[in-house]
Amino acid sequence: MEIPTNRFQSMRTDDDGRSRREFFCLAGAIAAGTTCAQKRMVAVETETPQIGILIATTFTTGTLEARLDAVRANGITRVQMSMACANLPEMPDQIPAELPARIRREASSRGIAIASVTGTFNMTHPDVEQRRMGLRRLRVLAEACPQMGTSFIHICTGTRDPHSMWRPHPDNDSPEAWRDMSACVREATEIARQANVVLAFEPEMSNVVGSARKARRLLDEIGSPHLKVTIDPANLFHTGELPRMKEILDEAFELLGKDMVLAHAKDLDHDGEAGHLAAGQGVLDYERYLRLLRQYHFQGTLLLHGLTPAQVPGCLAFLRAKMAASLRPTA
């Protein structure tokens, strides 16, 4: 807080004491204001879980610095970074040597930590060369992560659809699709081990791993501490399953809770496909979701996505209100 020096310069301590009283009153107000500001900042920093945001899909234009400024202006101190924010492909063939340190420096100067990095590619693509190319690019990204100050890369398992990894395909349930996906994830996990980072895959209903049960199967098959889970409950409800929300949420955490290192915050208004609404705009039971995160001692970042810049303040207020509600004892 800036001190109004001209006010102090006009005071004379040899007057009748009024100036001295004014000095201490003003100094006390400044100190109180600073303390309040510090308490507000501590409250933001110590909320559980910590709230972050997918920077590239929310603030979709501007330089790296401008996007980080937008994050900070909303009081957010955690981001999932994407190479797209630095005017590169999301999964680049190479990353300029100076860029990872620059990303960390620019984020840190704004009080922002890189919680994770986007590293999605179609790990079930029917063309083996596409999968190999994805693995090569993943290695480039993984080797840059330590310089960016993060240990987590967010991935998804993909689909047999050759054109979009977010579209379901009839062959996703085939043994061949699982075989190819599992082999690709195993190679990716070895890359992560060598780079000393962790891959966090998201069960996503259009992908081969489209449920908590399949996610548990994959974790058990790979059996590596370098493979963990990103949970997004808005992506778990297959056709006809929305009325079973409590059961499906509880099962997902029972199966995966101890392996969750990242969490997403968006919403859905119907089942049968991944949710695309901003948090609080749909039907997801956020109090239960947040209570489960706390029950299973989730220590990662809760990342907002699927929202516009204009929706960020409202979504933050919604999440914080639901966090407070989730602390209340259940009936």
Side-chain angles (χ1 to χ4, degrees):
M1 181 178 295
E2 184 179 349
I3 296 174
T5 53
N6 59 329
R7 175 84 179 270
F8 289 118
Q9 289 168 351
S10 67
M11 294 179 179
R12 295 191 49 174
T13 56
D14 57 348
D15 284 342
D16 60 4
R18 183 180 59 213
S19 295
R20 188 178 296 274
R21 288 193 299 272
E22 287 179 357
F23 173 86
F24 286 115
C25 285
L26 183 56
I30 291 169
T34 302
T35 300
C36 289
Q38 288 172 339
K39 286 181 178 178
R40 285 195 297 271
M41 181 60 72
V42 168
V44 170
E45 289 293 330
T46 58
E47 62 194 357
T48 303
Q50 293 174 337
I51 300 174
I53 197 164
L54 270 67
I55 183 170
T57 58
T58 307
F59 304 104
T60 57
T61 60
T63 63
L64 169 67
E65 292 79 6
R67 296 190 207 204
L68 289 168
D69 285 341
V71 170
R72 187 64 228 186
N74 281 282
I76 299 173
T77 59
R78 301 286 185 276
V79 298
Q80 180 166 300
M81 181 54 63
S82 166
M83 291 300 101
C85 293
N87 201 31
L88 291 176
E90 193 167 79
M91 294 289 287
D93 289 307
Q94 57 183 6
I95 296 174
E98 74 283 356
L99 180 59
R102 175 187 158 213
I103 289 173
R104 184 175 187 173
R105 183 175 64 252
E106 293 295 337
S108 180
S109 70
R110 293 163 173 81
I112 296 170
I114 310 297
S116 53
V117 177
T118 302
T120 51
F121 67 97
N122 193 345
M123 306 180 91
T124 318
H125 198 289
D127 183 352
V128 65
E129 287 303 321
Q130 290 292 316
R131 302 197 299 272
R132 288 173 179 164
M133 179 174 63
L135 287 167
R136 288 194 299 271
R137 291 170 173 173
L138 180 67
R139 184 180 295 278
V140 170
L141 193 63
E143 290 174 350
C145 280
Q147 292 175 277
M148 283 188 279
T150 186
S151 299
F152 298 108
I153 300 177
H154 172 258
I155 63 171
C156 284
T157 55
T159 172
R160 278 305 206 211
D161 188 289
H163 305 296
S164 171
M165 68 173 289
W166 311 116
R167 241 183 349 231
H169 192 277
D171 291 342
N172 280 358
D173 290 326
S174 68
E176 294 77 16
W178 185 274
R179 178 200 64 209
D180 290 346
M181 176 277 300
S182 181
C184 189
V185 171
R186 191 177 297 279
E187 287 190 56
T189 303
E190 176 58 19
I191 290 170
R193 186 194 67 79
Q194 293 171 10
N196 197 28
V197 298
V198 173
L199 304 180
F201 74 92
E202 179 181 358
E204 211 274 7
M205 58 178 307
S206 66
N207 283 192
V208 171
V209 177
S211 68
R213 288 184 180 274
K214 289 184 176 180
R216 184 71 259 162
R217 175 186 169 188
L218 182 62
L219 285 168
D220 292 343
E221 281 189 15
I222 303 300
S224 170
H226 294 274
L227 184 67
K228 295 294 181 180
V229 172
T230 298
I231 186 64
D232 187 340
N235 292 352
L236 294 178
F237 297 94
H238 295 254
T239 302
E241 291 184 341
L242 205 51
R244 298 172 51 231
M245 181 177 294
K246 175 182 178 296
E247 177 186 344
I248 288 171
L249 287 177
D250 288 355
E251 179 187 57
F253 275 82
E254 182 179 351
L255 291 169
L256 305 173
K258 65 184 179 65
D259 290 298
M260 295 175 184
V261 295
L262 296 172
H264 283 179
K266 58 180 175 59
D267 220 321
L268 77 165
D269 60 355
H270 65 280
D271 56 21
E273 63 178 51
H276 301 290
L277 299 179
Q281 300 299 305
V283 298
L284 185 66
D285 186 346
Y286 261 91
E287 283 186 34
R288 188 164 203 87
Y289 176 33
L290 293 167
R291 190 173 288 117
L292 285 165
L293 286 172
R294 187 171 288 107
Q295 177 183 331
Y296 282 83
H297 307 290
F298 176 74
Q299 298 297 313
T301 302
L302 179 62
L303 293 154
L304 284 163
H305 81 117
L307 72 170
T308 66
Q311 290 174 312
V312 172
C315 287
L316 286 169
F318 168 80
L319 278 184
R320 287 171 178 146
K322 289 299 182 182
M323 283 180 184
S326 72
L327 290 170
R328 294 195 291 263
T330 55

